[in-house]
Amino acid sequence: MTGAETCPDCGARLPAGSPAGLCPRCLLQLGVAMSADLKAELARGAPSLVRENARDRLAGPRTPGSRLSWEGASASRIHLRDAPEAARLVRPGSAEMPDLSGQPSRYQLIGELARGGMGTIFQGRDLDLGRDLAVKVIREEHRNHPEMVRRFVEEAQIGGQLQHPGITPVHELGRFPDGRLFIAMKLVRGRTLAALLESRTRPEEDRMQFLSIFEQVCQAMAYAHSRGVIHRDLKPSNVMVGTFGEVQVMDWGLAKVLDQGGVADEMRALGADESACVIRTLRSEPDGLESRTGSVLGTPSYMAPEQARGELDTLDERADVFALGSILCEILSGEPAFWGGSSADVYQKARRADLSSAEARLSVCGADAELVDLARACLAAAPRHRPRDSGAVVGRLSAYLGGVERRLRAAELAQARAEAQAAWERRRRLLTLSLAASVLASALLGVAGWVWMDRERERHERSIRARVEEALAESSKKRDEARSAGPGAAVSWVKAIEVARRAESLLDGDDARATLQDRVTAFVTELVRERDEAEAAEKDRRMVERLAAIHNELGVHNDLAKADADYAAAFRAYGGDPDRMGRLEAGQALAASPAVADLANALDHWAFLRRSPVLRDFAGGARLVAVARGADPDPWRSRLRDTLGRFGGDPASKRDELERLAASADVDHLPGASVTRLATALGFLGRHDVGIALLRRAQASHRDDFWVNADLGRELLGAGRPEEAVRFFGVAAGVSPRSGLALRGLARALLLSGQPAEAADILRAI
């Protein structure tokens, strides 16, 4: 009996023409479980989340070629259960559900939520902690497939290491007693951004609310980009909006770690000829506008042109920036960047970067120019014309929202002033009439009128002071929120300062309020100073991370010219370009930074690269050394710079000076890069033994430093001690698994130490 002749839920034989592929008994049970509202919605064909879940249930078990799959469909369709009717759509009888009866397991599986090409999602319960969760289990046919297992594990590792309130937590990666891998995740309840957008009657409805949701999405992606992870399938159906307004980015199944990370290479995971891998993988959905995989991964309506063309090697954070721009385009105009026609038509538009329709819709959407310009910038056809990452998008969006907040506050303040002035004028006219009557009546009534006016002025004064105190309290609260938010708190700082300035404007320069005026002015000044310090600290943190990434990536590609260009771009963006500014000016600019030690160390390493036999830019290296000395006048490091930069003369004198520096080096507090430069120079001058001793001391304090371990392995190999070199090359390869330098060194050390089979395995993996 074929699968088409049996019910996918209970296994009973199907009568001819059975609707939806289910037997009459299962159809009856499903119909009873649906509420009247749900059935009405299904009859209308409304594209709501509940309809999508119900259609999943009616469709029966999924196969890799079916309409919906876990790998192609958003995780939000699996997790969203915000109504009792939707909760009944869980299918308790599932052929894919592991049999845990009589087996020791902390998880209880309640029923199937959805099924995809690689895994099946079940609603489960953690019996130890008493909480509901979502459990993804690898499909039975993939349990022994090494590539599927690796991709499954990578999905869990990426989700588990992205610790951000805007990203769904992964609780555990484990294995059930039947041997199948599973991922335990938070069960999220709410509605997808796609459902919220479709519920609008027109694009301009609740626009500020959707922009607030979009801002939180950008912040979550800014965090992911800072960790070197790109999503590659951002779309409204992968964004969950919770009951209390919390926003989470879902479905990291297509995510990829860039060169900084160590997940499996995408093309090796495909296991096929690159020329044949176009829109065909386990996540493929050939008939819809859902996620496509293979050489092309993602959803065509939100896919960057380079992603649609399958240029996987060039994808970086700007592919996600394009998807963010498509989401913003849908918020502003009602449709994403690529839309209309069949799935193939949309995909071809994405390949050709045909943005004419999106441009036309944005031109007439009626949104503010700042928002339209941001959407156009994100949707640029060429990646180099887009914002660099989601952090840049957050900055521009936050600036816009801050401007809107300022305009709203100004309007509120103007209205309050107008109302107060009108009320005062009414009281003044009434007082004038009362005083005129009091002259005719009696002097006593006149005195009483003046007393009343004085009380009114006092009451007005108390009202002003109370409103000032209220504004100061609100500003203090927003300042505390900005402090606790840390990086990415620009909007909170802007709001805190704007509220404080509102209090300042209420005082209006009255001499009677001079003391309160001084207090408010001092508070505003302190807020601005603290905001500037927070922005400067965030700028320094990002610069240090970028410099460390350039240094570490050199061990992966070993391209000195690329590293030279990356260093130049980083310092130019930071504002202390040593190639264009005067040496004194550049040194002073860098010396003002709290991270001056890290900046000077990067300049020293950059100068070392320029003086190498490959680049031979001695003048440029000398200029960098001068700037580094101006920023960081440490005596030991200055001696090292002078000695390394000296050309000609007596080699023995230079060697003796380097040996004295090695003997006095405080390796516990020196950057690892300073130690490796000194050891490399000693090796050039034939003092490998001194360099090895120095690197051994440094390795004890910098055990996880890639360059300390790699250089120590290289020096040991050059000294004819391959057995010892194996250990340190192995540590370096563990720190940076993609480093060809470390892997080739490890293979050579293994070969020379009499382990040719292990060396061959390493070389095949490069």
Side-chain angles (χ1 to χ4, degrees):
M1 183 177 294
T2 65
E5 299 173 327
T6 60
C7 177
D9 277 1
C10 64
R13 185 180 183 86
L14 293 177
S18 178
L22 298 177
C23 68
R25 178 182 178 185
C26 292
L27 281 172
L28 179 60
Q29 290 176 346
L30 183 61
V32 172
M34 294 181 183
S35 66
D37 291 340
L38 176 61
K39 289 187 285 185
E41 188 175 13
L42 287 171
R44 292 195 303 270
S48 70
L49 178 64
V50 176
R51 175 180 62 78
E52 291 172 350
N53 279 321
R55 186 166 55 196
D56 285 352
R57 302 278 66 75
L58 289 170
R62 304 295 182 189
T63 65
S66 62
R67 168 70 174 175
L68 293 176
S69 68
W70 165 250
E71 297 296 327
S74 72
S76 56
R77 294 183 180 175
I78 295 165
H79 293 294
L80 273 180
R81 304 290 177 192
D82 57 347
E85 292 81 5
R88 296 175 192 153
L89 294 178
V90 175
R91 184 172 13 173
S94 170
E96 285 288 329
M97 183 184 295
D99 184 8
L100 303 182
S101 59
Q103 300 291 336
S105 175
R106 66 180 289 184
Y107 297 114
Q108 175 188 16
L109 299 183
I110 298 172
E112 181 181 331
L113 293 172
R115 190 180 304 178
M118 188 167 65
T120 304
I121 308 301
F122 300 94
Q123 180 174 333
R125 186 167 182 80
D126 187 331
L127 299 178
D128 290 348
L129 299 179
R131 64 179 175 184
D132 293 331
L133 40 73
V135 181
K136 180 176 181 179
V137 183
I138 195 168
R139 293 282 296 273
E140 178 67 30
E141 62 265 30
H142 299 320
R143 64 186 297 175
N144 294 322
H145 192 291
E147 202 59 52
M148 291 296 102
V149 170
R150 178 169 59 183
R151 291 177 66 86
F152 192 86
V153 171
E154 285 179 348
E155 178 182 348
Q157 290 176 335
I158 291 175
Q161 295 178 52
L162 292 178
Q163 301 293 314
H164 189 276
I167 298 174
T168 304
V170 172
H171 300 318
E172 181 181 0
L173 170 65
R175 191 183 298 273
F176 279 128
D178 68 350
R180 280 194 286 171
L181 291 172
F182 70 88
I183 304 172
M185 302 171 286
K186 176 182 178 182
L187 181 64
V188 183
R189 303 176 189 275
R191 301 183 67 192
T192 63
L193 177 58
L196 293 173
L197 289 171
E198 288 193 3
S199 66
R200 298 185 301 180
T201 57
R202 58 188 187 279
E204 61 270 19
E205 182 180 325
D206 294 329
R207 180 171 286 167
M208 291 305 298
Q209 175 187 352
F210 286 106
L211 289 176
S212 177
I213 295 172
F214 180 69
E215 180 186 20
Q216 295 184 61
V217 173
C218 292
Q219 289 173 345
M221 291 310 305
Y223 165 78
H225 289 172
S226 72
R227 297 296 303 274
V229 176
I230 57 175
H231 190 284
R232 298 198 294 182
D233 197 17
L234 283 174
K235 54 187 176 183
S237 58
N238 281 347
V239 176
M240 182 75 72
V241 182
T243 306
F244 299 99
E246 65 274 22
V247 177
Q248 292 193 325
V249 180
M250 313 287 292
D251 192 3
W252 294 82
L254 299 186
K256 182 177 182 180
V257 180
L258 299 177
D259 289 343
Q260 297 97 323
V263 298
D265 181 74
E266 182 66 28
M267 294 314 299
R268 287 193 291 107
L270 295 174
D273 180 18
E274 294 184 29
S275 62
C277 296
V278 179
I279 320 299
R280 289 293 181 272
T281 66
L282 288 174
R283 298 181 179 88
S284 178
E285 295 175 314
D287 296 327
L289 295 180
E290 299 297 336
S291 303
R292 297 173 177 267
T293 59
S295 289
V296 180
L297 304 172
T299 302
S301 293
Y302 306 89
M303 190 186 299
E306 66 270 17
Q307 189 174 353
R309 292 190 292 267
E311 300 170 359
L312 292 180
D313 290 340
T314 67
L315 293 188
D316 58 12
E317 297 92 334
R318 290 170 290 193
D320 285 348
V321 168
F322 188 94
L324 291 173
S326 185
I327 295 174
L328 181 57
C329 178
E330 185 168 0
I331 291 174
L332 299 180
S333 68
E335 303 294 351
F338 305 116
W339 190 252
S342 65
S343 173
D345 293 338
V346 175
Y347 167 65
Q348 289 302 324
K349 288 182 179 180
R351 280 181 56 89
R352 298 192 306 268
D354 183 0
L355 294 161
S356 57
S357 174
E359 176 65 28
R361 284 186 276 110
L362 287 172
S363 299
V364 298
C365 69
D368 289 342
E370 296 96 320
L371 286 175
V372 174
D373 290 344
L374 177 57
R376 287 169 173 163
C378 294
L379 293 176
R384 66 179 180 274
H385 295 151
R386 302 174 203 152
R388 182 61 185 86
D389 55 22
S390 185
V393 180
V394 169
R396 293 181 61 174
L397 181 62
S398 299
Y400 166 76
L401 294 177
V404 172
E405 180 73 15
R406 288 192 294 274
R407 291 195 293 271
L408 290 175
R409 292 297 185 187
E412 292 175 359
L413 183 58
Q415 182 179 0
R417 286 178 173 172
E419 292 176 354
Q421 184 65 28
W424 176 251
E425 290 295 332
R426 288 195 298 269
R427 294 190 186 99
R428 187 181 62 79
R429 288 193 296 268
L430 179 60
L431 178 59
T432 301
L433 293 175
S434 299
L435 290 175
S438 69
V439 172
L440 299 174
S442 67
L444 180 61
L445 291 178
V447 172
W450 281 109
V451 170
W452 178 84
M453 185 180 68
D454 188 56
R455 289 179 178 175
E456 282 294 304
R457 279 198 294 266
E458 290 181 359
R459 189 188 66 80
H460 179 70
E461 185 68 24
R462 288 195 299 270
S463 174
I464 290 293
R465 291 179 178 273
R467 291 168 63 187
V468 169
E469 294 293 344
E470 180 182 355
L472 288 178
E474 182 181 355
S475 179
S476 297
K477 180 180 178 181
K478 292 186 179 298
R479 178 188 61 184
D480 294 339
E481 293 175 355
R483 287 172 174 173
S484 60
V491 175
S492 298
W493 282 113
V494 169
K495 291 180 179 178
I497 294 173
E498 288 301 318
V499 173
R501 293 196 186 280
R502 183 181 66 189
E504 190 175 30
S505 65
L506 287 172
L507 295 173
D508 212 18
D510 195 322
D511 293 338
R513 309 167 188 152
T515 302
L516 186 57
Q517 178 80 49
D518 292 342
R519 176 184 162 201
V520 173
T521 301
F523 183 78
V524 172
T525 302
E526 178 65 19
L527 276 179
V528 172
R529 182 192 62 77
E530 192 170 352
R531 188 271 314 274
D532 293 342
E533 289 178 353
E535 290 179 350
E538 174 63 12
K539 176 184 177 182
D540 287 341
R541 184 189 67 79
R542 293 174 67 90
M543 178 62 173
V544 170
E545 290 181 353
R546 185 173 182 181
L547 293 174
I550 294 171
H551 190 189
N552 293 336
E553 287 172 1
L554 182 60
V556 177
H557 52 67
N558 201 27
D559 186 343
L560 272 62
K562 182 179 184 303
D564 179 69
D566 290 344
Y567 272 128
F571 277 96
R572 188 161 50 250
Y574 182 74
D577 187 355
D579 284 333
R580 298 184 181 180
M581 301 171 62
R583 299 181 182 183
L584 179 60
E585 180 186 5
Q588 291 175 344
L590 299 179
S593 169
V596 60
D598 294 307
L599 299 177
N601 180 58
L603 286 171
D604 288 334
H605 183 251
W606 188 8
F608 190 78
L609 296 182
R610 283 191 169 179
R611 291 194 299 259
S612 67
V614 176
L615 299 182
R616 301 185 63 81
D617 183 4
F618 303 111
R623 183 166 53 252
L624 296 178
V625 168
V627 175
R629 183 183 293 106
D632 174 34
D634 178 78
W636 190 95
R637 287 192 287 272
S638 294
R639 287 172 55 197
L640 177 61
R641 295 182 187 111
D642 293 339
T643 307
L644 293 179
R646 192 189 318 154
F647 298 96
D650 182 14
S653 173
K654 185 173 183 179
R655 182 172 59 247
D656 292 342
E657 177 63 18
L658 290 177
E659 289 182 6
R660 285 192 291 271
L661 285 170
S664 63
D666 184 4
V667 296
D668 293 335
H669 300 93
L670 280 174
S674 296
V675 177
T676 57
R677 285 193 294 273
L678 176 54
T680 301
L682 286 167
F684 287 157
L685 295 175
R687 293 312 309 267
H688 295 281
D689 54 338
V690 179
I692 290 173
L694 176 64
L695 288 171
R696 283 189 184 277
R697 289 166 50 205
Q699 202 273 340
S701 300
H702 305 279
R703 297 183 182 277
D704 295 330
D705 189 291
F706 170 82
W707 286 104
V708 170
N709 285 280
D711 285 1
L712 180 53
R714 185 198 65 216
E715 291 296 330
L716 288 169
L717 198 60
R721 294 147 73 177
E723 294 82 2
E724 296 180 69
V726 167
R727 171 191 168 193
F728 298 104
F729 275 128
V731 174
V735 173
S736 182
R738 291 179 179 270
S739 170
L741 185 149
L743 292 175
R744 285 189 292 272
L746 178 58
R748 185 181 177 192
L750 288 169
L751 181 63
L752 294 177
S753 61
Q755 303 178 65
E758 290 79 355
D761 291 340
I762 296 296
L763 291 175
R764 281 194 293 269
I766 296 177

